[in-house]
PDB file of all heavy atoms in Angstrom:
ATOM      1  N   THR J 154     -18.614  -7.170 -13.210  1.00 74.00           N
ATOM      2  CA  THR J 154     -19.979  -6.626 -13.208  1.00 74.00           C
ATOM      3  C   THR J 154     -19.999  -5.536 -12.177  1.00 74.00           C
ATOM      4  O   THR J 154     -19.124  -5.376 -11.355  1.00 74.00           O
ATOM      5  CB  THR J 154     -20.998  -7.710 -12.805  1.00 74.00           C
ATOM      6  OG1 THR J 154     -20.747  -8.102 -11.454  1.00 74.00           O
ATOM      7  CG2 THR J 154     -20.940  -8.910 -13.733  1.00 74.00           C
ATOM      8  N   ALA J 155     -21.047  -4.714 -12.209  1.00 74.00           N
ATOM      9  CA  ALA J 155     -21.189  -3.648 -11.220  1.00 74.00           C
ATOM     10  C   ALA J 155     -21.248  -4.205  -9.809  1.00 74.00           C
ATOM     11  O   ALA J 155     -20.603  -3.666  -8.880  1.00 74.00           O
ATOM     12  CB  ALA J 155     -22.470  -2.824 -11.483  1.00 74.00           C
ATOM     13  N   ALA J 156     -21.906  -5.331  -9.628  1.00 76.00           N
ATOM     14  CA  ALA J 156     -21.998  -5.956  -8.294  1.00 76.00           C
ATOM     15  C   ALA J 156     -20.637  -6.438  -7.852  1.00 76.00           C
ATOM     16  O   ALA J 156     -20.244  -6.241  -6.673  1.00 76.00           O
ATOM     17  CB  ALA J 156     -22.988  -7.150  -8.341  1.00 76.00           C
ATOM     18  N   GLN J 157     -19.837  -7.020  -8.758  1.00 74.00           N
ATOM     19  CA  GLN J 157     -18.490  -7.454  -8.353  1.00 74.00           C
ATOM     20  C   GLN J 157     -17.606  -6.300  -7.960  1.00 74.00           C
ATOM     21  O   GLN J 157     -16.863  -6.412  -6.993  1.00 74.00           O
ATOM     22  CB  GLN J 157     -17.855  -8.234  -9.527  1.00 74.00           C
ATOM     23  CG  GLN J 157     -18.433  -9.597  -9.787  1.00 74.00           C
ATOM     24  CD  GLN J 157     -17.917 -10.183 -11.035  1.00 74.00           C
ATOM     25  OE1 GLN J 157     -17.734  -9.476 -12.102  1.00 74.00           O
ATOM     26  NE2 GLN J 157     -17.675 -11.499 -11.035  1.00 74.00           N
ATOM     27  N   SER J 158     -17.678  -5.193  -8.708  1.00 74.00           N
ATOM     28  CA  SER J 158     -16.806  -4.057  -8.406  1.00 74.00           C
ATOM     29  C   SER J 158     -17.168  -3.397  -7.054  1.00 74.00           C
ATOM     30  O   SER J 158     -16.347  -2.753  -6.484  1.00 74.00           O
ATOM     31  CB  SER J 158     -16.846  -3.058  -9.536  1.00 74.00           C
ATOM     32  OG  SER J 158     -18.114  -2.457  -9.622  1.00 74.00           O
ATOM     33  N   MET J 159     -18.390  -3.613  -6.606  1.00 75.00           N
ATOM     34  CA  MET J 159     -18.786  -3.012  -5.317  1.00 75.00           C
ATOM     35  C   MET J 159     -18.672  -3.991  -4.167  1.00 75.00           C
ATOM     36  O   MET J 159     -18.989  -3.649  -3.038  1.00 75.00           O
ATOM     37  CB  MET J 159     -20.251  -2.492  -5.407  1.00 75.00           C
ATOM     38  CG  MET J 159     -20.430  -1.352  -6.394  1.00 75.00           C
ATOM     39  SD  MET J 159     -19.359   0.055  -6.073  1.00 75.00           S
ATOM     40  CE  MET J 159     -19.995   0.595  -4.504  1.00 75.00           C
ATOM     41  N   ASP J 160     -18.246  -5.194  -4.408  1.00 74.00           N
ATOM     42  CA  ASP J 160     -18.090  -6.202  -3.371  1.00 74.00           C
ATOM     43  C   ASP J 160     -16.725  -6.078  -2.734  1.00 74.00           C
ATOM     44  O   ASP J 160     -15.755  -6.717  -3.111  1.00 74.00           O
ATOM     45  CB  ASP J 160     -18.268  -7.606  -3.939  1.00 74.00           C
ATOM     46  CG  ASP J 160     -18.209  -8.674  -2.898  1.00 74.00           C
ATOM     47  OD1 ASP J 160     -17.971  -8.358  -1.685  1.00 74.00           O
ATOM     48  OD2 ASP J 160     -18.388  -9.855  -3.229  1.00 74.00           O
ATOM     49  N   PHE J 161     -16.602  -5.195  -1.707  1.00 72.00           N
ATOM     50  CA  PHE J 161     -15.349  -4.928  -1.093  1.00 72.00           C
ATOM     51  C   PHE J 161     -14.853  -6.089  -0.224  1.00 72.00           C
ATOM     52  O   PHE J 161     -13.729  -6.102   0.252  1.00 72.00           O
ATOM     53  CB  PHE J 161     -15.404  -3.636  -0.296  1.00 72.00           C
ATOM     54  CG  PHE J 161     -15.707  -2.427  -1.179  1.00 72.00           C
ATOM     55  CD1 PHE J 161     -16.916  -1.768  -1.050  1.00 72.00           C
ATOM     56  CD2 PHE J 161     -14.820  -2.003  -2.096  1.00 72.00           C
ATOM     57  CE1 PHE J 161     -17.215  -0.665  -1.833  1.00 72.00           C
ATOM     58  CE2 PHE J 161     -15.086  -0.897  -2.927  1.00 72.00           C
ATOM     59  CZ  PHE J 161     -16.309  -0.235  -2.789  1.00 72.00           C
ATOM     60  N   GLN J 162     -15.721  -7.035   0.081  1.00 68.00           N
ATOM     61  CA  GLN J 162     -15.327  -8.184   0.860  1.00 68.00           C
ATOM     62  C   GLN J 162     -14.604  -9.242   0.027  1.00 68.00           C
ATOM     63  O   GLN J 162     -13.878 -10.078   0.535  1.00 68.00           O
ATOM     64  CB  GLN J 162     -16.550  -8.838   1.506  1.00 68.00           C
ATOM     65  CG  GLN J 162     -17.259  -7.896   2.507  1.00 68.00           C
ATOM     66  CD  GLN J 162     -16.354  -7.516   3.659  1.00 68.00           C
ATOM     67  OE1 GLN J 162     -15.669  -8.339   4.247  1.00 68.00           O
ATOM     68  NE2 GLN J 162     -16.375  -6.242   4.032  1.00 68.00           N
ATOM     69  N   HIS J 163     -14.829  -9.186  -1.295  1.00 72.00           N
ATOM     70  CA  HIS J 163     -14.260 -10.202  -2.202  1.00 72.00           C
ATOM     71  C   HIS J 163     -13.709  -9.551  -3.466  1.00 72.00           C
ATOM     72  O   HIS J 163     -14.211  -9.866  -4.567  1.00 72.00           O
ATOM     73  CB  HIS J 163     -15.311 -11.265  -2.555  1.00 72.00           C
ATOM     74  CG  HIS J 163     -15.890 -11.908  -1.370  1.00 72.00           C
ATOM     75  ND1 HIS J 163     -17.058 -11.528  -0.788  1.00 72.00           N
ATOM     76  CD2 HIS J 163     -15.447 -12.955  -0.578  1.00 72.00           C
ATOM     77  CE1 HIS J 163     -17.336 -12.279   0.260  1.00 72.00           C
ATOM     78  NE2 HIS J 163     -16.340 -13.131   0.411  1.00 72.00           N
ATOM     79  N   PRO J 164     -12.682  -8.693  -3.356  1.00 80.00           N
ATOM     80  CA  PRO J 164     -12.182  -8.063  -4.578  1.00 80.00           C
ATOM     81  C   PRO J 164     -11.434  -9.091  -5.433  1.00 80.00           C
ATOM     82  O   PRO J 164     -10.972 -10.120  -4.945  1.00 80.00           O
ATOM     83  CB  PRO J 164     -11.198  -7.035  -4.045  1.00 80.00           C
ATOM     84  CG  PRO J 164     -10.762  -7.576  -2.750  1.00 80.00           C
ATOM     85  CD  PRO J 164     -11.943  -8.288  -2.176  1.00 80.00           C
ATOM     86  N   VAL J 165     -11.325  -8.799  -6.745  1.00 86.00           N
ATOM     87  CA  VAL J 165     -10.477  -9.625  -7.618  1.00 86.00           C
ATOM     88  C   VAL J 165      -9.042  -9.418  -7.096  1.00 86.00           C
ATOM     89  O   VAL J 165      -8.588  -8.279  -6.972  1.00 86.00           O
ATOM     90  CB  VAL J 165     -10.624  -9.205  -9.080  1.00 86.00           C
ATOM     91  CG1 VAL J 165      -9.684 -10.023  -9.941  1.00 86.00           C
ATOM     92  CG2 VAL J 165     -12.045  -9.391  -9.545  1.00 86.00           C
TER      93      VAL J 165
END
Side-chain angles (χ1 to χ4, degrees):
T154 65
Q157 288 170 321
S158 68
M159 295 304 294
D160 183 359
F161 298 113
Q162 298 298 317
H163 304 96
V165 176

